[in-house]
Amino acid sequence: MGIFKDEGVVYKPVSDVDLGAESDEVYLRANVKAPRMAGLLVKVFAWFLESRIFGAILLYILKKNNLIHKLVSFAELEEPPVFVPLHPFEDLKEQEVKPIESDISPPEQVQKAMECLQLSENTVNIPKFRFYRWTILDYSKAYASGKITPRVVADQFIAAVRESSNPALKMSFFIDYNVEDILRNANESTLRYERGEPLSALDGVPIAIKDEIDCLPYPTTGGTMWLHKARPCTDDAGCVKRLRLCGALLVGKTNMHELGAGTSGINPHYGATRNPYDPSKVAGGSSSGSAAVVSAGLCPVALGVDGGGSVRMPAALCGVVGLKPTIGRVSHSGVLPLNWTVGMVGILAGTVEDAFIVYAAISGQCPSHQPTTVLPKIHFPLLKSPSCISRIKLAKYGEWFNDCSNDIKVCCSLALDQLHKHYGWETVEVTIPEIEVMRLAHYLTIGSECTTAIACHLEKLNKAELGWDTRVALSVYGAFSSREYLNAQKVRNRQMQFHKNIFAKADAIVTPTTGVTAYSIYDDALKTGELDYINGAALVRYQIAGNFLGLPAVTVPVGYDKVGLPIGLQFIGRPWSEATLIHIAFAMQALCISDYRKPKVFYDLLKGIEPVNSTSGA
């Protein structure tokens, strides 16, 4: 297609770009030109894309019309490429933190985290909740007191999953769960509590694992019907090993968008994961099942993998917390290598405190993906009270912040006002240039890495084993050239420099988590999957920096739209600033938690138990 070469943008040097509030940099909205497709239409489109003649023409038109050619493919950039967004460790002088020794065990790290939380038990005045989610501390104290056992919780969990899978609901939370394995581990945990020897506060606490992370005895399917046959699971992932050492009750592999190649969570092989707040709506993806099980009360915490907002996006749509650490903070060993420079293990939880506890358990040395020659230090936040940190500055790019539905804009703006009113935090107006360029460069990168990772398997694969939407995605991913990939990495370099300069002015960047709330699941998508790039672009609008630049980020529920669907507010931090982000999220949660609403689909696994730190029941 060289004869059709388009004109590319010539980017000025980073040093010449104004990041101030009055910058003349133009905010470019997502230029998505592709209709929604499902059913027969997506099949026809896939057939055309896979044909040698029509496919090349269609792919050229798609890349041209969606500005990939202009903004990335044929762009001229003076910066060298950065292939992996690694960050040297810096001592950030964070407020109210506790340094943690690098050589202690996961159970010891969990104990250190509990000590940070126990400071707040008698100092935080928690109001009467409209709705209360059971926490890790609730489970731990109920087990220790003998009011309930892990075995009883396991029985109730299994019954709830079966109920959620019946034809009336079809929530499709899990790809696989093994009753025998769950009960065996629950019995062992129960015995430890009877002896007064729990391994940690996580002992017996149900935690689900996204089916992109190795966890015995389950195969790792990646949401496919074939990948586990080509790549057998022979050991636990690094993060799963650490949870096992803490005694966590690992309850199965959650549903996900096939190969993580979509944002809806509609999987034609294992069912469309449905949103507990409205089962007719999507849960978001690709960690759809992990978000939904936490939202529905089946687990206080689940693990996901975040390659393009895949933890934070479904967390926001399902009304829970989503935490994505800095690249290299959590071991990537045993995670499907679908997007090795943008994908990171993340945590979905009912509360910020629970996200913190599991973050403590899985953080540590990462021999398979070491970011620096010097191990990054770990600091835990001392959550004495929501207002224990001061003088926080939040960077806000107004045009980007407001590029969302009106309900989200109003809700997130009010939440930001509350942070200023209650804590005196400051909002710093900035300009973040080339956001749409970054989205396209990330799409090109994650797509190229996905096809490269599975190329040897695709050559032998019967295409009938793939969902139709995934066939389209892989056709597009495979069309990117080496020049395009290199230019995308040059864009990454520019954005890393832009964000470093912005973090010189602020502690975190604040945005809505998604541009839209959960949208409808249509019957025509259930067997083929769907292509909905307009909604997809709106869902990932605020996600990309966390992945493409390797930055930590967290989303917190802050309200609901007019029909009662959850809305999240996101904070993106400096590299290695998880402690500050957790502080910020904890402070935000304190202002919103009393108004949290119960999902339409919800299971109460600790019914009748008195909550810790609360004046009301679940």
Side-chain angles (χ1 to χ4, degrees), residues 71-279:
L71 299 179
V72 182
S73 306
F74 304 118
E76 295 183 26
L77 306 97
E78 68 172 31
E79 291 78 18
V82 170
F83 295 101
V84 184
L86 302 177
H87 301 276
F89 179 76
E90 296 180 53
D91 190 344
L92 300 175
K93 308 290 190 227
E94 296 174 283
Q95 300 179 51
E96 297 295 330
V97 297
K98 178 179 183 178
I100 303 300
E101 303 91 328
S102 61
D103 59 347
I104 63 175
S105 68
E108 289 173 318
Q109 290 195 180
V110 168
Q111 180 56 35
K112 297 286 187 184
M114 298 303 293
E115 291 167 5
C116 294
L117 291 173
Q118 286 168 357
L119 291 170
S120 69
E121 280 191 40
N122 298 318
T123 58
V124 181
N125 181 22
I126 299 181
K128 187 176 179 66
F129 294 143
R130 178 174 179 175
F131 163 63
Y132 182 84
R133 292 187 185 280
W134 296 117
T135 68
I136 290 169
L137 195 55
D138 289 320
Y139 280 93
S140 179
K141 293 207 168 183
Y143 294 157
S145 68
K147 292 178 181 177
I148 199 168
T149 67
R151 172 56 195 254
V152 172
V153 166
D155 287 334
Q156 295 181 172
F157 168 85
I158 292 163
V161 174
R162 286 173 174 162
E163 181 184 325
S164 75
S165 304
N166 69 35
L169 289 175
K170 292 184 181 176
M171 299 299 289
S172 301
F173 291 143
F174 286 89
I175 285 178
D176 198 1
Y177 68 101
N178 184 309
V179 171
E180 182 180 342
D181 184 69
I182 294 169
L183 294 179
R184 177 176 59 81
N185 285 290
N187 286 335
E188 291 175 1
S189 179
T190 297
L191 289 174
R192 289 194 292 270
Y193 276 102
E194 288 175 353
R195 295 195 302 264
E197 299 174 350
L199 297 177
S200 78
L202 287 175
D203 205 333
V205 176
I207 297 180
I209 309 296
K210 183 182 183 182
D211 203 10
E212 193 176 338
I213 303 170
D214 287 342
C215 178
L216 295 172
Y218 305 98
T220 302
T221 73
T224 73
M225 297 294 288
W226 57 271
L227 188 54
H228 55 292
K229 303 170 191 173
R231 179 195 173 275
C233 174
T234 58
D235 196 5
D236 286 333
C239 54
V240 172
K241 287 180 180 180
R242 296 178 73 91
L243 289 176
R244 281 201 200 277
L245 288 171
C246 296
L249 180 59
L250 305 177
V251 293
K253 304 297 286 294
T254 54
N255 203 354
M256 61 177 285
H257 206 108
E258 186 175 12
L259 290 176
T263 57
S264 67
I266 297 173
N267 187 309
H269 312 299
Y270 301 104
T273 303
R274 296 178 179 273
N275 194 314
Y277 278 88
D278 183 345

Side-chain angles (χ1 to χ4, degrees), residues 15 29 38 58 120 204 207 249 258 288 301 354 459 463 525 561 617:
S15 58
R29 292 174 180 267
L58 273 174
S120 69
I207 297 180
L249 180 59
E258 186 175 12
S288 47
V301 186
D354 283 357
E459 293 171 2
K463 288 182 179 177
D561 68 8

Side-chain angles (χ1 to χ4, degrees), residues 48 57 64 67 104 244 263 353 359 395 434 446 466 472 493 509 532 568:
F48 273 109
I57 295 171
K64 177 182 175 68
L67 299 185
I104 63 175
R244 281 201 200 277
T263 57
E353 297 93 317
Y359 164 74
E434 303 163 22
I446 195 172
L466 289 166
V472 169
N493 187 342
I509 297 168
D532 189 345

